[in-house]
Amino acid sequence: MSQSSTRDSLKTIGEFGLIRQLKQQWSTSSPWIVKGIGDDAAILKTRQGQQLLISTDVFIEGVHFDLASQAPKDVGWRAGVANLSDVAAMGGSPLYLLVSMAVPVRIPPKNIRELYRGLKDACAPCHVELIGGDTSSSPSHMFLSLTIVGSVRANRALTRHGAEVGDHIYVTGTVGDSNAGLRILQTRSNNLRRFSPSTAEKFLIRRHVRPTPRIRIGRLLVDRKLAHAAIDLSDGLSSDVGHVCEESQVGVEIRGKALPLSSQLRAFARQNNLDPMELALQGGEDYELLFTAPAKHHQKVLNVSRQTKVPISCIGEIKPKTFGQQLELPEGRKQKLAKKSFNHFGNR
Ligand code: ADP
Ligand code: MG
């Protein structure tokens, strides 16, 4: 170990040295922050006519990320986007971030700083400020918890419970890419030497490692009062649309043919003898938005797509609860919408 890396160890710099470095790396300038990092609590000014959105997520080494095979920067980016996307799904603007972590002493501070760099990069386009957190040692695995504070026009947040019978169901971007990207990365870690990804595979890996939060679309849906309900795609499309149905007490019909699939996903599915529609329905972590809107707003929804240069596709319709949750297969047959997405405790 070189001298500089010996000096740059958690044992040497300690908890407060690490916090100081992280604070320096992400200095704040917002006039809305009265006091950021450094006191027992942050002090924030409140904004008239706005409501706060607060959401938290945990990321556990060995469950959500693997520092042996993933760059710390990418881990930070994905964790950040998972948080930002929750605010996007409510139609809000992300403002502040709190980062709590428990770190095994073996992890070099450089890796923590890189993880924060990825987080900061993900937050930069929406000017999110780091306002606090907590730091602890951990006996074996790294643990990360992010709390995002956002803001939305009072009483206009998009929820999971607003969907109405007859609404169109829309999804942004393309779906299933992240699932395919993860599969490619898993294959790579099993046979390291033979891996040289094609252009399509690189695209899919990037979609997994560097997802994009759809903040601007969420905000436009709120500003223009277009959507009745929204959710971000984190568990998998079929599960996530199921959450909207349960909260809204409605049924759904998804048209398999209408799912927006990238050409790269189709190529990957062909090569690996997989069904691209299944990859799109069951794959998680796309962080695209799924929302419902009355049919009369169709043109205005397409305008949002044109303005943001992000595809928005109508993939089905909200039905009465008695209809259940159904999938229309490309050949026209209908079947129950199956859910195979990841569930931490195994049950559904
Ligand atoms: P306390 O003893 O009240 O928990 P700390 O000494 O842990 O306070 O934290 C000091 C300051 O540093 C606080 O403002 C806290 O929010 C901030 N902080 C601690 N850990 C982190 C972290 N990992 N990322 C960002 N800010 C942090
Ligand atoms: Mg503390």
Side-chain angles (χ1 to χ4, degrees):
M1 200 185 271
S2 75
Q3 227 187 356
S4 70
S5 62
T6 313
R7 240 183 283 124
D8 194 27
S9 83
L10 283 177
K11 231 180 181 145
T12 320
I13 65 169
E15 175 190 343
F16 300 109
L18 179 65
I19 296 173
R20 206 175 312 118
Q21 288 184 357
L22 298 174
K23 182 183 171 182
Q24 262 168 17
Q25 189 182 335
W26 199 331
S27 59
T28 59
S29 56
S30 165
W32 298 94
I33 303 176
V34 181
K35 179 77 200 183
I37 293 174
D39 217 308
D40 291 315
I43 310 172
L44 307 170
K45 289 183 190 161
T46 52
R47 301 170 197 225
Q48 267 225 321
Q50 299 274 312
Q51 286 172 326
L52 289 178
L53 299 169
I54 303 182
S55 175
T56 195
D57 278 308
V58 294
F59 304 91
I60 313 295
E61 189 183 2
V63 179
H64 301 94
F65 63 90
D66 173 14
L67 285 173
S69 64
Q70 287 172 292
K73 227 173 160 178
D74 292 338
V75 172
W77 177 284
R78 289 186 67 242
V81 169
N83 247 227
L84 296 169
S85 178
D86 284 327
V87 174
M90 305 297 288
S93 306
L95 300 173
Y96 312 114
L97 186 69
L98 294 117
V99 182
S100 294
M101 58 188 180
V103 194
V105 72
R106 69 179 150 85
I107 294 190
K110 180 169 141 288
N111 288 10
I112 312 288
R113 290 194 299 270
E114 271 191 32
L115 189 149
Y116 267 64
R117 165 63 55 188
L119 246 177
K120 192 180 175 197
D121 289 348
C123 288
C126 30
H127 313 291
V128 170
E129 310 265 10
L130 181 66
I131 58 163
D134 200 25
T135 306
S136 162
S137 61
S138 170
S140 57
H141 289 81
M142 181 167 173
F143 168 104
L144 191 64
S145 168
L146 304 187
T147 301
I148 188 102
V149 181
S151 152
V152 67
R153 216 188 274 199
N155 306 318
R156 296 272 285 276
L158 305 174
T159 62
R160 297 178 182 187
H161 65 250
E164 291 180 19
V165 174
D167 278 0
H168 283 174
I169 301 165
Y170 295 93
V171 69
T172 63
T174 53
V175 283
D177 298 337
S178 176
N179 183 356
L182 177 62
R183 284 166 187 252
I184 295 165
L185 288 175
Q186 283 166 343
T187 315
R188 175 170 75 172
S189 59
N190 291 340
N191 56 96
L192 259 181
R193 257 180 240 127
R194 290 206 336 258
F195 188 73
S196 63
S198 65
T199 314
E201 285 174 327
K202 278 187 195 149
F203 167 86
L204 296 169
I205 291 171
R206 183 136 186 108
R207 290 275 291 156
H208 176 70
V209 172
R210 296 263 155 165
T212 312
R214 301 299 188 190
I215 293 159
R216 182 143 176 254
I217 294 181
R219 255 186 338 224
L220 288 174
L221 294 176
V222 162
D223 287 347
R224 299 178 187 177
K225 295 190 182 170
L226 298 183
H228 280 156
I231 190 168
D232 67 320
L233 297 182
S234 54
D235 293 344
L237 199 155
S238 61
S239 284
D240 290 320
V241 78
H243 296 322
V244 171
C245 289
E246 275 141 39
E247 291 301 315
S248 299
Q249 294 290 303
V250 293
V252 69
E253 182 174 82
I254 299 292
R255 282 193 307 276
K257 230 201 273 187
L259 292 172
L261 308 178
S262 66
S263 57
Q264 293 90 340
L265 179 74
R266 289 179 198 273
F268 170 82
R270 225 174 12 249
Q271 279 156 15
N272 292 278
N273 225 353
L274 295 165
D275 179 358
M277 197 179 70
E278 277 295 297
L279 289 169
L281 287 170
Q282 312 304 347
E285 299 178 317
D286 281 314
Y287 299 112
E288 296 295 344
L289 294 188
L290 179 144
F291 61 94
T292 84
K296 65 176 183 199
H297 288 336
H298 185 67
Q299 195 51 50
K300 290 181 179 165
V301 169
L302 297 185
N303 292 344
V304 171
S305 166
R306 196 170 323 118
Q307 200 175 336
T308 55
K309 300 191 173 67
V310 176
I312 300 182
S313 313
C314 178
I315 61 160
E317 194 181 306
I318 296 292
K319 299 282 191 186
K321 192 174 180 193
T322 50
F323 182 89
Q325 297 172 22
Q326 295 193 33
L327 170 69
E328 187 188 77
L329 296 168
E331 75 266 18
R333 197 160 46 86
K334 289 180 190 174
Q335 67 177 37
K336 191 165 177 279
L337 185 64
K339 293 167 199 172
K340 300 193 197 101
S341 60
F342 184 74
N343 177 310
H344 280 277
F345 301 109
N347 64 328
R348 292 184 192 283

